[in-house]
């Protein structure tokens, strides 16, 4: 059991013209609930037709990561996540 929230990075890569940060952020909020501002760090990198969004998310428990990653994999423009 995790007593403190687990802070992890989620890096999502996909087609820059389709995969948008607000789509990912919406899923994070829907599945994990509101994220604390100190835990919600974001970075983006774009090269050609691909974009990489990195969000730091706070998990209440280890079981929350799998459903989030599964939902992200169904987003339009999604290619890969780390």
């Amino acid at each position: 059991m995790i007593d403190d929230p687990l802070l992890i990075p989620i890096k999502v890569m996909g087609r820059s013209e389709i995969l948008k940060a607000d789509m990912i952020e919406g899923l994070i909020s829907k599945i994990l609930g509101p994220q604390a501002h100190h835990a919600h760090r974001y970075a983006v990198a774009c090269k050609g037709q691909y974009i990489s969004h990195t969000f730091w998310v706070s998990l209440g428990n280890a079981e929350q990561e799998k459903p989030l990653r599964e939902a992200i994999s169904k987003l339009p423009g999604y290619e890969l996540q780390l």
Side-chain angles (χ1 to χ4, degrees):
M1 181 171 154
I2 299 172
D3 294 327
D4 294 321
L6 178 63
L7 186 63
I8 65 161
I10 303 263
K11 180 177 245 180
V12 183
M13 293 165 272
R15 311 282 288 179
S16 60
E17 70 278 1
I18 302 171
L19 185 65
K20 305 296 180 192
D22 61 345
M23 297 162 53
I24 302 164
E25 189 173 21
L27 278 178
I28 292 169
S29 293
K30 181 179 177 183
I31 294 171
L32 301 180
Q35 298 287 292
H37 289 291
H38 71 280
H40 187 74
R41 293 179 279 168
Y42 170 73
V44 65
C46 190
K47 185 169 184 173
Q49 61 185 349
Y50 293 97
I51 193 162
S52 169
H53 301 280
T54 303
F55 288 88
W56 283 83
V57 299
S58 182
L59 302 175
N61 62 61
E63 288 76 38
Q64 289 181 312
E65 184 176 1
K66 184 177 179 182
L68 175 61
R69 290 189 178 273
E70 287 173 348
I72 289 171
S73 72
K74 296 175 184 164
L75 288 172
Y78 167 87
E79 294 283 333
L80 175 73
Q81 64 183 302
L82 304 172

